[in-house]
């Protein structure tokens, strides 16, 4: 089975795949100092509750925009799962797309590269990919999947919090799913 880890600024998401089928999906608040030992205890408990065996994981992939977490997540895979993870954004990892910008690939967020690859696998057409998270990212990829560039804006919750804290009269507003 494959363990896919997506470490973002707000949450670290763990998904387990058996072939192409997702069989488990969990998230944990991002804390850069969380250790590999802490991750494995947490993940083992949740997998056991879902009827999955941690020992069945034989591959792993990590996409992280939190450099301080990458070491501990890599140690989780190497020490506890006995697998060397593929790390999105590592220069030695071939994603099947190119970054067509005058910047090193290492400066493009792993989440944005993963979105470009996933978009290409799904659509095979030029596209704009919008990702709503701590930041809202807008990325452009061509029909061959190549990453052409993008923009970053504050995410919805971050924007609401900043507006409240930086203005005298705007109240804090809860972001909730509308009824329709």
């Amino acid at each position: 089975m494959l363990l896919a880890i997506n470490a973002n600024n707000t949450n670290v998401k763990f998904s387990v795949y058996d072939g192409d089928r997702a069989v488990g999906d969990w998230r944990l608040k991002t804390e850069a100092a969380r250790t590999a030992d802490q991750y494995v205890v947490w993940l083992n408990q949740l997998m056991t509750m879902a009827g999955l065996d941690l020992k069945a994981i034989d591959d792993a992939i990590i996409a992280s925009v939190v450099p301080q977490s990458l070491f501990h997540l890599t140690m989780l895979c190497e020490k506890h799962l006995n697998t060397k993870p593929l790390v999105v954004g590592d220069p030695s990892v071939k994603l099947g797309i190119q970054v067509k910008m005058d910047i090193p690939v290492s400066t493009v967020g792993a989440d944005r590269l993963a979105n470009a690859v996933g978009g290409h696998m799904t659509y095979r057409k030029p596209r704009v990919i919008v990702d709503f998270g701590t930041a809202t990212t807008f990325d452009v990829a061509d029909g061959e999947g190549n990453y052409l560039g993008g923009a970053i804006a504050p995410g919805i919750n971050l924007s609401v919090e900043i507006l409240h804290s930086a203005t005298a009269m705007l109240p804090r507003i809860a972001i909730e799913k509308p009824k329709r």
Side-chain angles (χ1 to χ4, degrees):
M1 289 194 299
L2 170 72
L3 174 64
I5 304 170
N6 182 11
N8 288 324
N9 291 302
T10 304
N11 291 301
V12 182
K13 291 163 263 186
F14 296 79
S15 295
V16 175
Y17 290 86
D18 189 359
D20 289 341
R21 188 171 61 95
V23 294
D25 186 32
W26 307 276
R27 66 182 54 224
L28 185 64
K29 183 180 182 323
T30 300
E31 291 182 14
R34 194 180 314 270
T35 67
D37 297 337
Q38 291 171 307
Y39 281 123
V40 74
V41 169
W42 174 84
L43 184 60
N44 186 50
Q45 269 308 106
L46 289 170
M47 287 184 67
T48 299
M49 289 169 50
L52 300 170
D53 184 1
L54 185 72
K55 293 181 181 116
I57 293 174
D58 53 10
D59 282 308
I61 183 169
I62 301 171
S64 177
V65 298
V66 184
Q68 306 90 328
S69 294
L70 186 56
F71 173 80
H72 298 292
L73 292 168
T74 301
M75 286 299 100
L76 162 69
C77 297
E78 291 178 356
K79 179 180 173 186
H80 296 292
L81 304 177
N82 297 316
T83 185
K84 182 167 177 51
L86 182 129
V87 178
V88 176
D90 183 294
S92 68
V93 173
K94 306 296 181 223
L95 298 175
I97 65 168
Q98 296 177 4
V99 174
K100 299 242 177 156
M101 296 175 56
D102 293 333
I103 60 170
V105 68
S106 61
T107 62
V108 179
D111 55 340
R112 300 172 86 179
L113 293 172
N115 285 346
V117 171
H120 181 61
M121 290 176 68
T122 304
Y123 297 105
R124 305 267 179 197
K125 296 179 182 179
R127 68 209 145 278
V128 174
I129 303 159
V130 182
D131 187 344
F132 297 96
T134 306
T136 299
T137 58
F138 303 87
D139 294 303
V140 179
D142 65 18
E144 286 76 49
N146 300 313
Y147 182 84
L148 303 178
I152 301 175
I156 294 170
N157 288 325
L158 185 58
S159 295
V160 168
E161 187 58 36
I162 293 298
L163 279 172
H164 169 70
S165 66
T167 60
M169 303 259 324
L170 289 178
R172 180 174 275 117
I173 297 171
I175 303 296
E176 299 172 342
K177 183 177 177 180
K179 291 179 182 156
R180 60 182 189 99

